[in-house]
Amino acid sequence: MAAAHVHADEAAAPADAPAGLSETEAKILAFERQWWKYAGAKETAIRELFDMSATRYYQVLNQLLDSEAALAADPMLVKRLRRMRSTRQRERSTRRLSGV
């Protein structure tokens, strides 16, 4: 399995992070915008870029998606990620209710 050889500067946020976002939050949005460009698994890239587990990354991302600062910084990306999250939540609820 090929490792995701990435560097923090590859997912770097713009020089001036949008108002209300930490540097890490800005980098997370930048990464979500183009994570598919990295070789290997997304989880490996997350570990290498952000030095956190995939579980923690997604917790931070979910909080970020609910913030007005993230919406102001990149409305198209945040709205798309919110839609994807809502779809996954609906699918999980449907499976739970149907007993599958």
Side-chain angles (χ1 to χ4, degrees):
M1 178 179 205
H5 296 288
V6 293
H7 302 284
D9 58 336
E10 291 176 17
D16 50 349
L21 293 181
S22 71
E23 183 180 338
T24 299
E25 290 170 335
K27 286 181 179 180
I28 287 173
L29 287 179
F31 177 73
E32 284 298 318
R33 215 174 290 116
Q34 58 183 0
W35 68 265
W36 46 270
K37 291 181 181 179
Y38 297 102
K42 184 177 183 181
E43 288 74 18
T44 303
I46 289 168
R47 207 171 306 111
E48 290 182 10
L49 284 171
F50 300 104
D51 193 30
M52 62 176 78
S53 69
T55 300
R56 179 66 187 138
Y57 173 85
Y58 287 112
Q59 290 170 341
V60 172
L61 177 60
N62 276 313
Q63 290 176 337
L64 182 57
L65 293 181
D66 292 331
S67 80
E68 290 302 314
L71 183 61
D74 195 336
M76 287 180 58
L77 174 67
V78 171
K79 287 177 183 178
R80 179 174 59 83
L81 293 173
R82 284 178 177 178
R83 279 193 311 271
M84 291 169 59
R85 179 178 64 181
S86 292
T87 299
R88 284 191 302 272
Q89 288 171 338
R90 274 194 308 276
E91 289 170 354
R92 278 195 300 272
S93 294
T94 302
R95 282 195 304 268
R96 237 180 278 126
L97 292 174
S98 67
V100 175

